[in-house]
Coordinates of all heavy atoms in Angstrom, one line a residue:
M525 N 159.4 101.4 122.0 CA 158.1 101.8 121.6 C 157.4 100.7 120.9 O 158.0 100.2 119.9 CB 158.2 103.1 120.7 CG 156.8 103.6 120.2 SD 156.9 105.0 119.1 CE 157.2 106.3 120.3
N526 N 156.3 100.3 121.3 CA 155.5 99.3 120.6 C 154.5 99.9 119.7 O 154.4 101.2 119.6 CB 154.8 98.3 121.6 CG 153.8 99.0 122.5 OD1 153.2 100.0 122.1 ND2 153.7 98.4 123.7
K527 N 153.7 99.1 119.0 CA 152.8 99.6 118.0 C 151.7 100.6 118.6 O 151.4 101.6 118.0 CB 152.1 98.5 117.3 CG 151.3 98.8 116.1 CD 150.8 97.6 115.4 CE 150.1 97.9 114.1 NZ 149.6 96.7 113.4
T528 N 151.2 100.2 119.8 CA 150.2 101.0 120.4 C 150.7 102.4 120.8 O 150.1 103.4 120.6 CB 149.6 100.3 121.7 OG1 149.1 99.0 121.3 CG2 148.5 101.1 122.4
E529 N 151.9 102.4 121.3 CA 152.6 103.7 121.7 C 152.9 104.5 120.4 O 152.7 105.7 120.4 CB 153.9 103.4 122.4 CG 153.6 102.8 123.8 CD 154.9 102.3 124.4 OE1 155.9 102.0 123.7 OE2 154.9 102.1 125.7
L530 N 153.2 103.8 119.3 CA 153.4 104.6 118.1 C 152.1 105.2 117.6 O 152.1 106.3 117.1 CB 154.0 103.6 117.0 CG 154.3 104.2 115.7 CD1 155.3 105.4 115.8 CD2 154.9 103.2 114.7
V531 N 151.0 104.5 117.6 CA 149.7 105.0 117.2 C 149.4 106.2 118.1 O 148.9 107.2 117.6 CB 148.6 103.9 117.3 CG1 147.3 104.5 117.1 CG2 148.9 102.9 116.2
D532 N 149.6 106.1 119.4 CA 149.3 107.2 120.3 C 150.2 108.5 119.9 O 149.7 109.6 119.9 CB 149.6 106.8 121.7 CG 148.6 105.8 122.3 OD1 147.6 105.6 121.7 OD2 148.9 105.2 123.3
S533 N 151.4 108.2 119.6 CA 152.3 109.3 119.2 C 151.9 110.0 117.9 O 151.9 111.2 117.8 CB 153.8 108.8 119.1 OG 154.6 109.8 118.7
I534 N 151.5 109.1 116.9 CA 151.0 109.7 115.6 C 149.8 110.5 115.9 O 149.6 111.6 115.3 CB 150.8 108.5 114.6 CG1 152.1 107.8 114.2 CG2 150.0 109.0 113.4 CD1 151.9 106.5 113.5
A535 N 148.9 110.0 116.7 CA 147.6 110.7 116.9 C 147.9 112.1 117.6 O 147.3 113.1 117.2 CB 146.7 109.9 117.9
K536 N 148.8 112.1 118.5 CA 149.2 113.3 119.2 C 149.8 114.4 118.3 O 149.5 115.5 118.3 CB 150.1 113.0 120.4 CG 150.5 114.2 121.3 CD 151.4 113.8 122.4 CE 151.8 115.0 123.2 NZ 152.8 114.6 124.3
L537 N 150.8 113.9 117.5 CA 151.5 114.8 116.6 C 150.7 115.3 115.4 O 150.9 116.4 114.9 CB 152.8 114.1 116.1 CG 153.9 113.9 117.2 CD1 155.0 113.0 116.6 CD2 154.4 115.2 117.8
S538 N 149.8 114.4 114.9 CA 149.0 114.8 113.7 C 147.7 115.4 114.0 O 147.1 116.0 113.1 CB 148.9 113.6 112.8 OG 148.0 112.6 113.5
G539 N 147.1 115.2 115.2 CA 145.8 115.7 115.5 C 144.7 114.8 115.0 O 143.5 115.1 115.1
L540 N 145.1 113.6 114.5 CA 144.1 112.6 114.1 C 143.6 111.8 115.3 O 144.3 111.8 116.4 CB 144.8 111.6 113.1 CG 145.2 112.1 111.8 CD1 146.0 111.0 111.0 CD2 144.0 112.6 110.9
T541 N 142.5 111.1 115.2 CA 142.1 110.2 116.3 C 143.0 109.0 116.3 O 143.7 108.7 115.3 CB 140.6 109.8 116.0 OG1 140.6 109.0 114.9 CG2 139.7 111.0 115.9
K542 N 142.9 108.3 117.4 CA 143.7 107.1 117.5 C 143.3 106.0 116.5 O 144.1 105.3 115.9 CB 143.7 106.5 118.9 CG 144.4 107.3 119.9 CD 144.4 106.6 121.3 CE 145.0 107.5 122.3 NZ 145.1 106.9 123.6
V543 N 142.0 106.0 116.2 CA 141.5 105.0 115.2 C 142.1 105.4 113.8 O 142.5 104.5 113.1 CB 140.0 105.0 115.2 CG1 139.4 104.2 114.0 CG2 139.4 104.5 116.5
D544 N 142.0 106.6 113.4 CA 142.5 107.1 112.1 C 144.0 106.9 112.1 O 144.6 106.5 111.0 CB 142.1 108.5 111.9 CG 140.7 108.7 111.6 OD1 140.0 107.7 111.2 OD2 140.2 109.9 111.7
S545 N 144.7 107.2 113.2 CA 146.2 107.0 113.2 C 146.5 105.5 113.0 O 147.5 105.2 112.3 CB 146.7 107.5 114.5 OG 146.5 108.9 114.7
A546 N 145.8 104.6 113.6 CA 146.0 103.2 113.5 C 145.8 102.8 112.0 O 146.6 102.0 111.5 CB 145.1 102.4 114.4
K547 N 144.7 103.3 111.4 CA 144.5 102.9 110.0 C 145.6 103.5 109.1 O 146.0 102.8 108.2 CB 143.1 103.6 109.6 CG 141.9 102.9 110.1 CD 140.6 103.5 109.6 CE 139.4 102.9 110.3 NZ 138.2 103.6 109.9
A548 N 146.1 104.7 109.4 CA 147.1 105.3 108.6 C 148.4 104.4 108.7 O 149.1 104.2 107.7 CB 147.4 106.7 109.0
L549 N 148.7 104.0 109.9 CA 149.9 103.2 110.2 C 149.8 101.9 109.5 O 150.8 101.5 108.8 CB 150.2 103.0 111.7 CG 151.4 102.2 112.1 CD1 152.7 102.7 111.5 CD2 151.4 102.0 113.6
E550 N 148.7 101.2 109.6 CA 148.5 99.9 108.9 C 148.6 100.1 107.4 O 149.2 99.2 106.8 CB 147.1 99.4 109.3 CG 147.0 98.8 110.7 CD 147.9 97.6 110.9 OE1 148.2 96.8 110.0 OE2 148.4 97.5 112.1
A551 N 148.0 101.1 106.9 CA 148.1 101.4 105.4 C 149.6 101.6 105.0 O 150.0 101.1 103.9 CB 147.2 102.5 105.0
T552 N 150.3 102.3 105.8 CA 151.7 102.6 105.5 C 152.5 101.3 105.5 O 153.3 101.0 104.6 CB 152.3 103.6 106.5 OG1 151.6 104.8 106.4 CG2 153.8 103.9 106.2
L553 N 152.3 100.5 106.5 CA 153.1 99.3 106.6 C 152.7 98.3 105.5 O 153.6 97.6 105.0 CB 152.8 98.6 108.0 CG 153.3 99.4 109.2 CD1 153.0 98.7 110.5 CD2 154.8 99.7 109.2
K554 N 151.4 98.2 105.2 CA 151.0 97.3 104.1 C 151.6 97.8 102.7 O 152.0 97.0 101.9 CB 149.5 97.3 104.0 CG 148.9 96.2 103.2 CD 149.3 94.8 103.8 CE 148.7 93.7 103.0 NZ 149.2 92.4 103.4
S555 N 151.6 99.1 102.5 CA 152.2 99.7 101.3 C 153.7 99.3 101.2 O 154.1 99.0 100.1 CB 152.0 101.2 101.3 OG 150.6 101.5 101.2
V556 N 154.4 99.4 102.3 CA 155.8 99.1 102.3 C 156.0 97.6 102.0 O 156.8 97.2 101.1 CB 156.5 99.5 103.6 CG1 157.9 98.9 103.7 CG2 156.6 101.0 103.8
E557 N 155.2 96.8 102.6 CA 155.2 95.3 102.4 C 154.9 95.0 101.0 O 155.6 94.2 100.3 CB 154.2 94.6 103.3 CG 154.1 93.1 103.2 CD 153.1 92.5 104.0 OE1 152.7 93.1 105.1 OE2 152.5 91.5 103.6
N558 N 153.9 95.6 100.4 CA 153.5 95.3 99.0 C 154.7 95.7 98.0 O 154.9 95.0 97.0 CB 152.2 96.0 98.6 CG 151.0 95.4 99.3 OD1 151.1 94.2 99.7 ND2 150.0 96.1 99.4
A559 N 155.3 96.8 98.3 CA 156.4 97.3 97.4 C 157.6 96.3 97.5 O 158.2 96.0 96.5 CB 156.8 98.7 97.8
L560 N 157.9 95.9 98.7 CA 159.0 94.9 98.9 C 158.7 93.6 98.2 O 159.6 93.0 97.7 CB 159.3 94.8 100.4 CG 159.9 96.0 101.1 CD1 160.1 95.7 102.5 CD2 161.2 96.5 100.4
K561 N 157.4 93.2 98.2 CA 157.1 91.9 97.6 C 157.3 92.0 96.1 O 157.6 91.0 95.4 CB 155.6 91.6 97.8 CG 155.3 91.0 99.2 CD 153.8 90.7 99.3 CE 153.5 90.1 100.6 NZ 152.0 89.8 100.8
K562 N 157.2 93.2 95.5 CA 157.4 93.4 94.1 C 158.9 93.7 93.8 O 159.3 94.1 92.7 CB 156.6 94.6 93.6 CG 155.1 94.4 93.7 CD 154.4 95.7 93.2 CE 152.9 95.6 93.5 NZ 152.3 96.9 93.2
N563 N 159.8 93.6 94.8 CA 161.2 93.9 94.7 C 161.5 95.3 94.5 O 162.6 95.7 94.0 CB 161.9 93.0 93.6 CG 162.7 91.9 94.2 OD1 162.8 91.8 95.4 ND2 163.3 91.1 93.3
D564 N 160.6 96.2 94.8 CA 160.8 97.7 94.7 C 161.4 98.2 96.0 O 161.4 97.5 97.1 CB 159.5 98.4 94.5 CG 158.9 98.2 93.2 OD1 159.6 97.8 92.3 OD2 157.7 98.4 93.0
E565 N 162.1 99.3 95.9 CA 162.6 100.0 97.1 C 161.6 101.0 97.6 O 160.9 101.6 96.7 CB 163.9 100.7 96.8 CG 165.1 99.8 96.7 CD 166.4 100.6 96.6 OE1 166.4 101.8 96.4 OE2 167.5 100.0 96.8
V566 N 161.5 101.3 98.8 CA 160.7 102.4 99.4 C 161.7 103.4 100.0 O 162.4 103.2 101.0 CB 159.7 101.9 100.4 CG1 158.9 103.1 101.0 CG2 158.8 100.9 99.9
R567 N 161.8 104.6 99.3 CA 162.7 105.6 99.8 C 162.0 106.8 100.4 O 161.1 107.4 99.8 CB 163.5 106.2 98.6 CG 164.5 105.2 98.0 CD 165.2 105.8 96.8 NE 165.8 104.8 96.0 CZ 167.1 104.8 95.7 NH1 167.8 105.9 95.9 NH2 167.7 103.8 95.0
L568 N 162.3 107.0 101.7 CA 161.7 108.1 102.4 C 162.8 109.1 102.6 O 163.7 108.9 103.6 CB 161.1 107.6 103.7 CG 160.0 106.6 103.5 CD1 159.6 106.0 104.9 CD2 158.8 107.1 102.8
V569 N 162.9 110.1 101.8 CA 164.1 111.0 101.9 C 164.2 111.6 103.3 O 163.3 112.1 103.9 CB 163.9 112.2 100.8 CG1 165.0 113.2 100.9 CG2 163.8 111.6 99.4
G570 N 165.5 111.5 103.8 CA 165.8 112.0 105.1 C 165.6 110.9 106.2 O 166.2 111.0 107.2
F571 N 164.7 110.0 105.9 CA 164.4 108.9 106.9 C 165.2 107.7 106.6 O 165.9 107.2 107.5 CB 162.9 108.6 107.0 CG 162.6 107.6 108.1 CD1 162.6 108.0 109.4 CD2 162.3 106.3 107.7 CE1 162.3 107.1 110.4 CE2 161.9 105.4 108.7 CZ 162.0 105.8 110.0
G572 N 165.0 107.1 105.4 CA 165.8 105.9 105.1 C 165.1 105.2 103.9 O 164.2 105.6 103.3
T573 N 165.7 104.0 103.6 CA 165.3 103.2 102.5 C 165.0 101.8 102.9 O 165.9 101.2 103.6 CB 166.4 103.2 101.4 OG1 166.7 104.6 101.0 CG2 166.0 102.4 100.2
F574 N 163.9 101.3 102.5 CA 163.5 99.9 102.7 C 163.8 99.2 101.4 O 163.4 99.7 100.4 CB 162.1 99.7 103.1 CG 161.7 100.3 104.4 CD1 161.2 101.6 104.5 CD2 161.8 99.6 105.6 CE1 160.8 102.2 105.7 CE2 161.4 100.2 106.8 CZ 160.9 101.5 106.8
A575 N 164.5 98.0 101.5 CA 164.8 97.3 100.3 C 164.8 95.8 100.6 O 164.7 95.4 101.7 CB 166.2 97.7 99.8
V576 N 165.0 95.0 99.5 CA 165.0 93.6 99.6 C 166.4 93.1 99.4 O 167.1 93.5 98.4 CB 164.1 92.9 98.6 CG1 164.2 91.4 98.7 CG2 162.6 93.3 98.9
S577 N 166.9 92.2 100.2 CA 168.3 91.7 100.1 C 168.1 90.2 99.7 O 167.4 89.5 100.4 CB 169.0 91.8 101.4 OG 170.3 91.2 101.3
N578 N 168.8 89.7 98.7 CA 168.8 88.3 98.4 C 170.0 87.6 99.0 O 171.1 87.9 98.8 CB 168.9 88.1 96.8 CG 167.7 88.7 96.1 OD1 166.6 88.4 96.5 ND2 167.9 89.5 95.1
R579 N 169.6 86.7 99.9 CA 170.7 85.9 100.6 C 170.9 84.6 99.9 O 170.0 83.9 99.5 CB 170.2 85.6 102.1 CG 170.1 86.9 102.9 CD 169.8 86.5 104.3 NE 169.7 87.8 105.1 CZ 169.3 87.8 106.4 NH1 169.0 86.6 107.0 NH2 169.3 88.9 107.0
K580 N 172.2 84.2 99.8 CA 172.5 83.0 99.2 C 172.3 81.8 100.1 O 172.3 82.0 101.4 CB 174.0 83.0 98.8 CG 174.3 84.0 97.7 CD 175.8 84.0 97.4 CE 176.1 85.1 96.4 NZ 177.6 85.1 96.1
A581 N 172.2 80.6 99.6 CA 172.1 79.4 100.4 C 173.4 79.2 101.1 O 174.5 79.4 100.5 CB 171.7 78.2 99.6
T582 N 173.4 78.8 102.4 CA 174.6 78.6 103.2 C 174.4 77.4 104.0 O 173.4 76.8 104.1 CB 174.9 79.8 104.1 OG1 173.8 80.0 105.0 CG2 175.1 81.1 103.3
V583 N 175.5 77.0 104.6 CA 175.5 75.9 105.6 C 175.7 76.5 106.9 O 176.6 77.2 107.2 CB 176.7 74.9 105.2 CG1 176.7 73.7 106.3 CG2 176.4 74.3 103.8
G584 N 174.8 76.1 107.9 CA 174.9 76.6 109.2 C 175.1 75.4 110.2 O 175.3 74.2 109.7
R585 N 175.1 75.7 111.4 CA 175.2 74.6 112.4 C 174.1 74.7 113.5 O 173.7 75.8 113.9 CB 176.5 74.7 113.2 CG 177.7 74.4 112.3 CD 178.9 74.0 113.2 NE 180.0 73.6 112.3 CZ 180.3 72.4 111.9 NH1 179.4 71.5 112.1 NH2 181.3 72.2 111.1
N586 N 173.6 73.5 113.9 CA 172.6 73.5 115.0 C 173.4 73.7 116.2 O 174.3 73.0 116.5 CB 172.0 72.1 115.0 CG 170.9 72.0 116.1 OD1 171.0 72.6 117.1 ND2 169.9 71.1 115.8
P587 N 173.1 74.8 117.0 CA 173.9 75.1 118.2 C 173.8 74.0 119.3 O 174.8 73.9 120.1 CB 173.3 76.4 118.7 CG 172.0 76.6 118.0 CD 172.0 75.7 116.8
R588 N 172.8 73.2 119.3 CA 172.7 72.1 120.3 C 173.5 70.9 120.0 O 174.2 70.4 120.8 CB 171.2 71.7 120.5 CG 170.4 72.6 121.3 CD 169.1 71.9 121.7 NE 168.3 72.8 122.4 CZ 167.0 72.7 122.6 NH1 166.4 71.7 122.1 NH2 166.3 73.6 123.3
T589 N 173.4 70.5 118.7 CA 174.1 69.3 118.3 C 175.4 69.5 117.6 O 176.2 68.6 117.5 CB 173.2 68.4 117.5 OG1 172.9 69.1 116.2 CG2 171.9 68.1 118.2
G590 N 175.6 70.7 117.0 CA 176.8 70.9 116.2 C 176.7 70.4 114.8 O 177.6 70.5 114.0
K591 N 175.5 69.8 114.5 CA 175.3 69.2 113.2 C 175.1 70.2 112.1 O 174.4 71.2 112.4 CB 174.1 68.2 113.3 CG 173.8 67.5 112.0 CD 172.6 66.6 112.2 CE 172.2 65.9 110.8 NZ 171.0 65.1 110.9
E592 N 175.7 70.0 111.0 CA 175.5 71.0 109.9 C 174.1 70.9 109.3 O 173.5 69.8 109.2 CB 176.5 70.7 108.7 CG 177.9 71.1 109.1 CD 178.8 71.0 107.9 OE1 178.4 70.5 106.8 OE2 180.0 71.4 108.0
I593 N 173.5 72.1 109.0 CA 172.2 72.1 108.4 C 172.3 73.1 107.2 O 173.1 74.0 107.2 CB 171.1 72.6 109.3 CG1 171.5 73.9 110.0 CG2 170.8 71.6 110.4 CD1 170.4 74.5 110.8
K594 N 171.5 72.8 106.2 CA 171.5 73.6 105.0 C 170.5 74.7 105.1 O 169.3 74.4 105.4 CB 171.2 72.8 103.7 CG 172.3 71.8 103.4 CD 171.9 71.0 102.2 CE 173.0 70.0 101.9 NZ 172.7 69.1 100.7
L595 N 170.9 76.0 105.0 CA 170.0 77.1 105.0 C 169.7 77.5 103.6 O 170.6 77.9 102.8 CB 170.6 78.3 105.8 CG 171.0 77.9 107.2 CD1 171.8 79.1 107.9 CD2 169.8 77.6 108.1
P596 N 168.4 77.5 103.1 CA 168.1 77.8 101.7 C 168.3 79.3 101.4 O 168.3 80.1 102.3 CB 166.7 77.4 101.6 CG 166.1 77.5 103.0 CD 167.3 77.1 103.9
A597 N 168.4 79.6 100.2 CA 168.4 81.0 99.7 C 167.1 81.6 100.1 O 166.1 81.0 100.0 CB 168.7 81.1 98.2
C598 N 167.1 82.9 100.4 CA 165.9 83.6 100.7 C 166.0 85.1 100.5 O 167.1 85.6 100.3 CB 165.5 83.3 102.2 SG 166.7 84.0 103.4
K599 N 164.9 85.8 100.6 CA 164.9 87.2 100.5 C 164.6 87.7 101.9 O 163.8 87.2 102.6 CB 163.7 87.7 99.6 CG 163.9 87.3 98.1 CD 162.8 87.8 97.3 CE 163.0 87.4 95.8 NZ 161.9 87.9 95.0
A600 N 165.3 88.8 102.2 CA 165.2 89.4 103.5 C 165.1 90.9 103.4 O 165.7 91.5 102.6 CB 166.4 89.1 104.4
P601 N 164.2 91.5 104.2 CA 164.1 93.0 104.2 C 165.3 93.6 104.8 O 165.9 93.0 105.8 CB 162.8 93.2 105.0 CG 162.7 92.1 105.9 CD 163.3 90.9 105.2
K602 N 165.7 94.8 104.3 CA 166.7 95.5 105.0 C 166.4 97.0 105.0 O 165.5 97.5 104.2 CB 168.1 95.3 104.3 CG 168.2 95.9 102.9 CD 169.6 95.6 102.4 CE 169.8 96.2 101.0 NZ 171.1 95.9 100.5
F603 N 167.0 97.7 105.9 CA 166.7 99.2 106.1 C 168.0 99.9 106.2 O 168.9 99.5 107.0 CB 165.8 99.4 107.3 CG 165.6 100.9 107.6 CD1 164.7 101.6 106.9 CD2 166.3 101.5 108.6 CE1 164.5 102.9 107.1 CE2 166.1 102.9 108.8 CZ 165.2 103.6 108.1
R604 N 168.1 101.0 105.4 CA 169.3 101.8 105.5 C 168.8 103.2 106.0 O 168.0 103.8 105.3 CB 170.0 102.0 104.2 CG 170.7 100.7 103.7 CD 171.6 100.9 102.5 NE 170.8 101.6 101.4 CZ 170.2 100.9 100.4 NH1 170.2 99.6 100.4 NH2 169.6 101.6 99.5
A605 N 169.3 103.7 107.1 CA 168.9 104.9 107.6 C 169.4 106.1 106.8 O 170.5 106.0 106.2 CB 169.4 105.1 109.1
G606 N 168.6 107.1 106.6 CA 169.0 108.3 105.9 C 169.8 109.3 106.7 O 169.9 109.2 107.9
K607 N 170.4 110.2 106.0 CA 171.3 111.2 106.7 C 170.6 112.0 107.8 O 171.1 112.2 108.9 CB 171.9 112.1 105.7 CG 172.9 113.1 106.2 CD 173.6 114.0 105.2 CE 174.6 115.0 105.7 NZ 174.7 115.3 107.0
T608 N 169.4 112.5 107.5 CA 168.7 113.3 108.5 C 168.4 112.5 109.8 O 168.6 113.0 110.9 CB 167.3 113.8 107.9 OG1 167.6 114.5 106.7 CG2 166.6 114.7 108.9
L609 N 168.0 111.2 109.6 CA 167.8 110.3 110.8 C 169.1 110.1 111.5 O 169.1 110.2 112.8 CB 167.2 109.0 110.3 CG 166.9 108.0 111.4 CD1 165.9 108.6 112.5 CD2 166.3 106.7 110.8
K610 N 170.2 109.8 110.8 CA 171.5 109.6 111.5 C 171.9 110.9 112.2 O 172.4 110.8 113.4 CB 172.5 109.2 110.4 CG 172.4 107.9 109.9 CD 173.5 107.6 108.9 CE 173.3 106.3 108.1 NZ 174.3 106.1 107.1
D611 N 171.7 112.0 111.6 CA 172.1 113.3 112.3 C 171.3 113.5 113.5 O 171.8 114.1 114.5 CB 172.0 114.4 111.3 CG 173.1 114.4 110.2 OD1 174.0 113.6 110.3 OD2 172.9 115.1 109.2
A612 N 170.0 113.2 113.5 CA 169.1 113.4 114.6 C 169.6 112.5 115.8 O 169.3 112.9 117.0 CB 167.7 113.1 114.3
L613 N 170.2 111.4 115.6 CA 170.6 110.5 116.6 C 172.0 110.9 117.2 O 172.3 110.5 118.3 CB 170.7 109.1 116.1 CG 169.4 108.5 115.7 CD1 169.6 107.1 115.1 CD2 168.3 108.4 116.8
N614 N 172.7 111.7 116.5 CA 174.0 112.0 116.9 C 174.0 113.5 117.3 O 174.4 114.3 117.4 CB 175.1 111.7 115.9 CG 175.2 110.2 115.6 OD1 175.3 109.5 116.6 ND2 175.2 109.8 114.4

């Protein structure tokens, strides 16, 4: 499912117009992004948790040349599915 299909699905399930559904989706995604920028978690009970993971600096390899490269430390988003979502899939 891509973003357009998700907007269509939200509009159908909520009774909102596609324009309003797109605005709601954009606002939701921006809110999650802003929370993660502040190092906060976003917990949606039953669905899952969005959080920030701190990755240490490591040494990797260029797959073409085999030469070692240094990968700097960084922050990466992560998602842990909630029990209700897991149960719905199984």
Side-chain angles (χ1 to χ4, degrees):
M525 176 182 283
N526 63 29
K527 190 173 181 180
T528 303
E529 293 168 340
L530 182 57
V531 168
D532 291 344
S533 179
I534 292 169
K536 183 178 176 183
L537 293 172
S538 67
L540 296 172
T541 65
K542 288 183 183 182
V543 172
D544 289 342
S545 296
K547 287 180 184 178
L549 178 60
E550 286 298 326
T552 301
L553 296 177
K554 193 65 175 172
S555 295
V556 170
E557 179 184 329
N558 289 339
L560 293 178
K561 282 182 181 179
K562 295 176 188 174
N563 254 359
D564 290 340
E565 285 188 346
V566 178
R567 294 177 190 231
L568 304 172
V569 177
F571 183 74
T573 302
F574 295 92
V576 176
S577 174
N578 292 313
R579 292 186 182 173
K580 295 179 182 178
T582 60
V583 176
R585 291 201 179 272
N586 181 330
R588 281 194 182 160
T589 63
K591 183 179 176 183
E592 286 188 355
I593 54 174
K594 293 179 183 178
L595 302 172
C598 66
K599 293 181 180 182
K602 68 179 180 179
F603 176 76
R604 289 187 309 264
K607 183 176 181 343
T608 305
L609 179 59
K610 288 180 188 176
D611 290 346
L613 299 176
N614 296 312

